[in-house]
């Protein structure tokens, strides 16, 4: 049974090439109208996931459903999924019009109907008037829009996008992010977007799926993924993370009190079950730390080792006693009271999360 | 100033005295290929044209009279037109078509393979070109004669009662021409097909195109440059074929190359042979131009 309103569903999909697993028991559900990002480093299985949904790869085990219809063994051309490829894959021997009309002719639409649909799709990506151009005569950004329009033109059930913005320069990429998100919201079309860019994932998505080594590490909304990373990998891959070791003292009102090896006790959130006495690793985002100028102010004592000027802010690398060689990094807005290497300070932890290993 | 001269200064030190000589030598080196083509390609061609315009008298050397008599007697004679010109065009076109179909399938298969195996099969193709044409014809002879491998197998299987006559017929020549031609079609097509981004085919599938439709609308149009390269080589090669019709046609299949050879070496009529040669050259040229014109119009956007 599929619950209504689920557009893409993977159940226990695995795929390996020889002895190398590229997809390991992947299950996920994408709600109708959602923008879901699959995020991970290269080789994590995110593109394989997309190709399984698109039908270009058949999983060894598991099933794929699109709008409740089982499509696991259907070839791509029987799925009605719009695909935007990383290099756009526009047919170089066809004009923009023919690129868009290709799928419509297969659907045996009439000449006028095709022309109307092509115009509509080009309008959505604001590319009217370039119908007679060949792909090579377009800029990278324009090609990207044509690829998007081609996927939209066939009126697909869902659209999957394979790092579509990675070939654009930074400025254009940021503009396209906003535009793509706006387009998706206005059309209400379900999109699954594969990327290795955490900023893209956090800024565009309703849900973020973080993958590593063929497995889903965490699937949640962007805030949760950032604020409550489930694993050390997620914490490291999204944003900056400081790791501290400690031991759980007791559990109190949904938070664990962790005695840090570096000294001091801090409450930490947790997502998987923990018990008092367990040794744990906690993640502390740089912005969850604040530096007190007085080393005796009651926080964890630390020494400033590195001072990195970054324009609007300064990044301090702090060394805790008994915390190993790793420096803990803290950002501070540039103010009057700049610290120098060697200064003794005290650090306050306002938030922390217990993570499991990868 | 430092004592050791900089790199650019050191170059200047060597240059002045030899500069003129070096420049001359490098110019000569650049000119060599052009001189080669001029002397060894255009030279004989001009000589051939002049010979074809000369008068032939038995026992004496050709005399340049700028007469078109040989062209008139060759192209004006229905016997020659049917037996030589038409045979040549028919066999060249048919062998090109068959070679294209066979070669395309092979190249498509090879281009799909992983890089290592693709390289291996590509080198096999190249090696097959290295086998001497005479040896290849003898191989075909063993296979195709009346009591050869093919006929005895077919009789043994009970498919035929009497051997098929293939050797020394036009069919035999056609098989020989196709066999020679296939590698020339395969080689450019492997590179062409392998260079087509697989995502282009996946994109076609994603908008609903079946494999067949994807092939005819995406893969084939994009491979046209390879098709043109292969077919042009094969057509011009086979239109001018000599060894295959001579060895496999048993004198009955008179392609133009053979006709020219017979006229020159048996009848000693060099001007007539030259006229046949020039006709062959012009025929190839015209067909090539028409072919390119048609293909370019139809697939102008493919490149």
């Amino acid at each position: 049974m599929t619950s209504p309103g689920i557009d893409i569903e993977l159940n226990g999909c695995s795929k390996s090439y020889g002895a190398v697993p590229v997809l390991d028991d992947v299950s996920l559900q994408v709600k109708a109208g959602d923008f879901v990002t699959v995020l991970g480093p290269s080789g994590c299985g995110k593109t394989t996931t997309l190709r399984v949904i698109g039908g270009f790869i058949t999983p060894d085990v598991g099933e794929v459903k699109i709008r409740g219809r089982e499509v696991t063994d259907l070839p791509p051309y029987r799925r009605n999924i719009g695909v935007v490829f990383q290099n756009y894959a526009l047919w170089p021997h066809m004009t923009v019009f023919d690129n868009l009309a290709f799928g419509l002719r297969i659907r045996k639409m009439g000449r006028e109907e095709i022309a109307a649909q092509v115009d509509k799709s080009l309008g959505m990506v604001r590319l009217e008037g370039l119908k007679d151009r060949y792909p090579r005569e377009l800029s990278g950004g324009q090609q990207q829009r044509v690829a998007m329009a081609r996927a939209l033109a066939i009126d697909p059930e869902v659209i999957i996008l394979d790092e579509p913005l990675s070939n654009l320069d930074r400025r254009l990429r940021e503009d396209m992010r906003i535009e793509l998100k706006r387009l998706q919201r206005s059309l209400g079309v379900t999109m699954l977007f594969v990327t290795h860019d955490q900023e893209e994932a956090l800024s565009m998505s309703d849900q973020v799926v973080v993958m590593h080594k063929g497995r889903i590490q965490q699937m949640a909304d962007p805030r949760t993924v950032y604020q409550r990373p489930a694993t050390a990998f997620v914490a490291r891959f999204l944003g900056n993370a400081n790791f501290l070791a400690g031991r759980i003292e007791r559990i109190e009102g949904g938070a664990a009190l962790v005695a840090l090896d570096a000294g001091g006790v801090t409450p930490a959130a947790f997502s998987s079950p923990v018990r008092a006495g367990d040794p744990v690793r906690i993640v502390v985002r740089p912005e969850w730390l604040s530096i007190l100028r007085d080393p005796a102010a009651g926080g964890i004592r630390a020494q400033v080792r590195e001072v990195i000027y970054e324009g609007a802010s300064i990044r301090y690398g702090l060394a805790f006693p008994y915390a190993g060689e790793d420096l803990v990094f803290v950002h501070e807005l540039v103010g009057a009271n700049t610290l120098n290497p060697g200064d003794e300070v005290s650090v306050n932890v306002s938030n922390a999360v217990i993570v499991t290993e990868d | 100033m430092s004592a050791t001269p900089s790199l650019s200064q050191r170059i200047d030190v060597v240059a002045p005295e030899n500069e003129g000589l070096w420049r001359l030598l490098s110019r000569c080196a650049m000119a060599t290929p052009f001189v080669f083509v001029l002397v060894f390609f255009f030279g004989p061609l001009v000589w051939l044209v002049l010979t074809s315009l000369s008068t032939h008298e038995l026992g004496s050397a050709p005399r340049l009279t700028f007469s078109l008599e040989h062209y008139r007697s060759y192209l004006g004679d229905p016997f020659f037109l049917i037996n030589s010109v038409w045979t040549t065009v028919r066999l060249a076109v048919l062998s090109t078509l068959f070679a294209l179909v066979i070669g395309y399938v092979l190249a498509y298969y090879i281009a799909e393979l992983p890089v290592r195996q693709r390289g291996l099969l590509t080198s096999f193709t190249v090696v097959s070109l290295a086998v001497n044409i005479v040896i290849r014809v003898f191989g075909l002879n063993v296979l195709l004669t009346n009591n050869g491998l093919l006929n005895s197998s077919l009789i043994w299987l009970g498919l035929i009662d009497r051997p098929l006559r293939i050797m020394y017929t036009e069919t035999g020549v056609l098989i020989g021409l196709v066999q020679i031609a296939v590698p020339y079609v395969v080689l450019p097509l492997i590179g062409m097909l392998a260079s087509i981004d697989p995502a282009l085919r996946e994109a076609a599938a994603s908008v609903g195109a079946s494999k067949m439709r994807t092939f005819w609308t995406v893969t084939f149009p994009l491979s046209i440059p390879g098709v043109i390269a292969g077919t042009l080589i094969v057509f011009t090669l086979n239109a001018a074929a000599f060894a295959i019709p001579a060895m496999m046609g048993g004198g009955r299949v008179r392609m133009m190359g053979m006709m020219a050879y017979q006229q020159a070496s048996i009848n000693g009529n060099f001007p007539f042979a030259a006229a046949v040669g020039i006709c062959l050259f012009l025929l190839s040229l015209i067909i090539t131009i028409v072919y390119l014109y048609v293909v370019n119009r139809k697939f102008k956007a493919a490149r």
Side-chain angles (χ1 to χ4, degrees):
Chain A
M1 270 296 291
T2 307
S3 28
I6 299 296
D7 264 5
I8 304 174
E9 187 174 354
L10 297 182
N11 286 323
C13 288
S14 295
K15 177 81 187 173
S16 39
Y17 292 111
V20 187
V22 285
L23 223 54
D24 187 1
D25 193 22
V26 167
S27 298
L28 62 85
Q29 293 193 331
V30 176
K31 284 215 301 273
D34 262 7
F35 191 109
V36 172
T37 305
V38 181
L39 176 69
S42 59
C44 72
K46 58 185 193 296
T47 296
T48 308
T49 304
L50 175 128
R51 293 175 67 78
V52 162
I53 295 168
F56 304 112
I57 294 176
T58 310
D60 298 335
V61 291
E63 61 168 9
V64 184
K65 285 182 179 176
I66 303 295
R67 288 203 179 158
R69 180 172 70 121
E70 148 115 50
V71 297
T72 317
D73 295 315
L74 287 187
Y77 53 88
R78 295 196 191 283
R79 292 199 183 193
N80 204 30
I81 294 176
V83 186
V84 179
F85 292 85
Q86 182 169 15
N87 56 5
Y88 319 133
L90 299 175
W91 300 300
H93 58 303
M94 298 185 200
T95 59
V96 169
F97 181 90
D98 287 333
N99 264 278
L100 265 64
F102 188 80
L104 307 178
R105 293 195 181 116
I106 292 168
R107 284 162 178 72
K108 302 218 159 50
M109 284 169 72
R111 190 175 279 272
E112 278 156 35
E113 213 183 341
I114 289 176
Q117 181 72 3
V118 169
D119 282 341
K120 196 177 121 197
S121 309
L122 284 176
M124 288 176 191
V125 298
R126 298 188 296 160
L127 259 193
E128 302 92 339
L130 294 178
K131 274 189 291 197
D132 298 325
R133 298 273 188 93
Y134 284 95
R136 61 173 174 272
E137 299 167 339
L138 302 175
S139 70
Q142 288 170 331
Q143 290 182 22
Q144 210 280 328
R145 284 160 198 262
V146 174
M148 192 64 221
R150 183 175 66 182
L152 285 167
I154 59 167
D155 197 13
E157 293 173 1
V158 299
I159 295 181
I160 54 181
L161 308 96
D162 188 7
E163 309 212 21
L165 307 183
S166 62
N167 287 337
L168 303 176
D169 62 51
R170 189 178 171 78
R171 174 61 71 60
L172 194 55
R173 189 160 66 224
E174 283 168 5
D175 291 347
M176 285 304 293
R177 257 183 224 165
I178 296 167
E179 197 171 321
L180 186 58
K181 179 64 193 166
R182 192 191 299 143
L183 181 67
Q184 186 268 337
R185 203 181 295 133
S186 69
L187 297 174
V189 62
T190 308
M191 282 193 188
L192 185 123
F193 183 100
V194 162
T195 182
H196 64 266
D197 184 328
Q198 42 146 328
E199 254 181 72
E200 250 167 51
L202 291 178
S203 63
M204 298 170 79
S205 323
D206 297 310
Q207 296 276 308
V208 179
V209 180
V210 185
M211 290 190 74
H212 182 47
K213 293 182 178 163
R215 290 181 147 272
I216 292 182
Q217 300 271 312
Q218 189 171 13
M219 176 167 181
D221 62 280
R223 273 166 208 279
T224 307
V225 171
Y226 185 79
Q227 306 266 351
R228 295 281 171 88
T231 68
F233 174 81
V234 175
R236 220 178 305 120
F237 196 74
L238 278 114
N240 297 311
N242 297 304
F243 291 96
L244 296 172
R247 189 174 290 276
I248 296 179
E249 227 164 43
R250 60 196 148 86
I251 294 169
E252 201 178 79
L257 287 176
V258 178
L260 299 174
D261 294 355
V265 174
T266 182
F270 55 87
S271 42
S272 44
V274 286
R275 281 176 315 170
D278 285 353
V280 290
R281 270 227 286 183
I282 65 167
V283 164
V284 185
R285 299 285 186 199
E287 63 272 23
W288 299 345
L289 294 167
S290 48
I291 301 174
L292 308 169
R293 266 38 181 179
D294 177 6
I300 308 164
R301 292 184 72 108
Q303 189 186 42
V304 177
R305 286 280 171 82
E306 282 178 25
V307 180
I308 301 151
Y309 178 67
E310 290 179 339
S313 62
I314 290 184
R315 191 150 64 107
Y316 293 112
L318 308 177
F320 288 149
Y322 320 115
E325 288 298 303
D326 289 348
L327 294 182
V328 166
F329 286 94
V330 184
H331 293 272
E332 260 192 6
L333 290 178
V334 173
N337 196 357
T338 307
L339 294 164
N340 296 308
D343 286 357
E344 296 287 333
V345 294
S346 169
V347 174
N348 232 353
V349 180
S350 64
N351 196 3
V353 181
I354 296 173
V355 290
T356 60
E357 289 310 310
D358 302 344
Chain B
M1 288 298 282
S2 88
T4 39
S6 73
L7 207 59
S8 60
Q9 281 169 332
R10 265 185 275 173
I11 286 169
D12 284 343
V13 169
V14 188
E17 45 187 311
N18 292 330
E19 202 176 12
L21 183 63
W22 274 116
R23 204 166 277 171
L24 191 69
L25 275 176
S26 65
R27 287 237 173 106
C28 287
M30 290 291 287
T32 310
F34 297 99
V35 172
F36 181 88
V37 170
L38 216 62
V39 171
F40 293 103
F41 182 76
F42 284 103
L45 197 64
V46 168
W47 181 83
L48 204 65
V49 171
L50 294 180
T51 309
S52 76
L53 298 174
S54 304
T55 309
H56 170 66
E57 273 159 50
L58 217 59
S60 59
R63 200 157 37 81
L64 186 57
T65 53
F66 294 104
S67 107
L68 291 170
E69 54 181 311
H70 306 296
Y71 291 95
R72 218 174 293 126
S73 60
Y74 183 64
L75 296 174
D77 188 337
F79 173 81
F80 284 137
L81 275 182
I82 291 167
N83 278 295
S84 150
V85 178
W86 176 232
T87 304
T88 303
V89 173
R90 191 175 56 226
L91 282 175
V93 169
L94 280 179
S95 64
T96 305
L97 277 179
F98 282 120
L100 176 62
V101 173
I102 295 169
Y104 203 106
V105 174
L106 288 176
Y108 193 90
Y109 171 78
I110 295 171
E112 293 276 280
L113 293 173
V115 177
R116 270 185 66 137
Q117 294 169 45
R118 194 201 301 160
L120 193 71
L121 283 181
T122 307
S123 22
F124 277 156
T125 317
V126 176
V127 167
S128 79
L129 284 176
V131 179
N132 183 293
I133 195 165
V134 178
I135 294 170
R136 287 213 255 174
V137 170
F138 277 122
L140 282 174
N141 203 342
V142 169
L143 193 69
L144 300 175
T145 46
N146 286 356
N147 44 15
L149 219 60
L150 183 72
N151 274 317
S152 36
S153 312
L154 289 177
I155 291 171
W156 184 78
L157 285 170
L159 292 173
I160 51 172
D161 314 321
R162 221 173 312 152
L164 298 171
R165 278 182 48 87
I166 300 173
M167 243 0 238
Y168 311 121
T169 66
E170 206 174 292
T171 315
V173 174
L174 185 59
I175 291 174
L177 291 177
V178 171
Q179 194 254 20
I180 295 289
V182 166
Y184 292 102
V185 177
V186 172
L187 280 177
L189 271 175
I190 291 175
M192 203 65 228
L193 288 168
S195 71
I196 296 175
D197 180 1
L200 295 178
R201 272 179 275 168
E202 289 177 355
S206 79
V207 300
S210 63
K211 289 194 172 143
M212 213 31 142
R213 186 152 191 153
T214 301
F215 175 79
W216 287 114
T217 49
V218 175
T219 311
F220 187 73
L222 289 175
S223 70
I224 284 294
V227 171
I228 292 177
T231 48
L232 273 189
I233 295 170
V234 167
F235 175 78
T236 45
L237 211 65
N238 279 353
F242 171 71
I244 296 279
M247 296 176 71
M248 297 187 72
R252 276 186 282 269
V253 185
R254 296 181 191 83
M255 291 182 75
M256 286 166 83
M258 257 192 74
M259 174 73 70
Y261 174 76
Q262 282 175 345
Q263 288 295 334
S265 66
I266 298 169
N267 300 354
N269 191 344
F270 281 98
F272 191 81
V276 174
I278 296 295
C279 285
L280 174 58
F281 171 70
L282 292 176
L283 191 72
S284 282
L285 201 66
I286 290 165
I287 293 181
T288 301
I289 289 168
V290 171
Y291 171 65
L292 282 180
Y293 179 75
V294 171
V295 173
N296 274 333
R297 266 185 73 125
K298 188 146 172 52
F299 296 99
K300 66 168 187 286
R303 284 160 303 139

